[in-house]
Amino acid sequence: MPFVNGEEKGTGFVPDVADSRDKEYDHLAYGASPFDWNKGFDIETELGITLKPNDQNGSLSCVGQGVSKYAFVVNYIETGTQTDLSAKSVYSQIAFPKGTASIRDAFKLLKNYGINEEVDVPSYEKGKPPSEKFIADKKWLNDELKSKAKTYKSKEYRAIMDKTN
């Protein structure tokens, strides 16, 4: 476990357990081009944008942080607008009681709920990186924000696995 400010912290990521809804897409994996892990892939260069960094502080909100950036990029590709999206609006709704979250739950939330804008559901605590207590709190959730989140709903999500690799 890593240490933050002298305290032992987890990574915030919990691997998804096997689920009967997961599908194996061997035909996609076999037809995919090999990926050069040394070269990598830079989405900022590809799209000509700069992503603002997220600071999760000592919180376990990495799934919410990552998914909010993913949703930002998808929204930019679809609309051409750069709208900051809220890590808190994702993480607070899927966080386990002692922190951390599942990626599957985050993408399921994007499909069924959507994601809120950062301006409406700030992920930072008075402008500073969040504590776990702050980012997991969902007292902000109301009907107006539920309606606004639908603007950024995903059409679908899939778990793609390959049996051989």
Side-chain angles (χ1 to χ4, degrees):
M1 293 265 197
F3 284 82
V4 177
N5 297 329
E7 293 183 38
E8 189 175 0
K9 300 291 182 183
T11 62
F13 166 74
V14 176
D16 291 325
V17 296
D19 187 296
S20 63
R21 294 168 293 174
D22 293 343
K23 304 292 183 220
E24 292 180 355
Y25 292 94
D26 289 343
H27 61 286
L28 291 179
Y30 292 135
S33 300
F35 184 78
D36 184 342
W37 289 98
N38 293 320
K39 181 179 175 188
F41 179 80
D42 186 343
I43 192 70
E44 291 175 312
T45 300
E46 184 72 22
L47 297 177
I49 61 174
T50 300
L51 298 173
K52 293 179 187 174
N54 284 4
D55 185 346
Q56 71 188 58
N57 194 14
S59 74
L60 302 174
S61 64
C62 61
V63 170
Q65 304 288 344
V67 168
S68 70
K69 287 301 183 204
Y70 168 82
F72 171 93
V73 169
V74 170
N75 182 60
Y76 177 74
I77 290 168
E78 290 182 352
T79 68
T81 60
Q82 295 187 41
T83 305
D84 289 330
L85 298 173
S86 172
K88 179 178 174 116
S89 79
V90 174
Y91 182 71
S92 64
Q93 295 186 72
I94 63 168
F96 296 139
K98 292 186 179 183
T100 77
S102 158
I103 291 174
R104 176 186 288 117
D105 290 344
F107 282 100
K108 185 176 178 182
L109 184 75
L110 278 180
K111 180 181 181 297
N112 296 325
Y113 172 84
I115 185 172
N116 291 96
E117 293 184 15
E118 182 69 19
V119 69
D120 291 329
V121 184
S123 302
Y124 284 72
E125 198 168 4
K126 297 179 183 172
K128 297 190 189 291
S131 65
E132 179 68 23
K133 181 178 178 183
F134 172 82
I135 198 137
D137 177 55
K138 57 182 174 186
K139 292 179 188 144
W140 59 269
L141 192 56
N142 61 44
D143 289 340
E144 178 186 1
L145 291 173
K146 286 177 184 178
S147 179
K148 287 175 116 178
K150 291 177 183 177
T151 302
Y152 304 100
K153 281 178 74 168
S154 293
K155 295 171 185 74
E156 65 179 333
Y157 72 100
R158 296 173 188 243
I160 300 176
M161 301 167 290
D162 176 26
K163 286 191 253 184
T164 61
N165 185 0

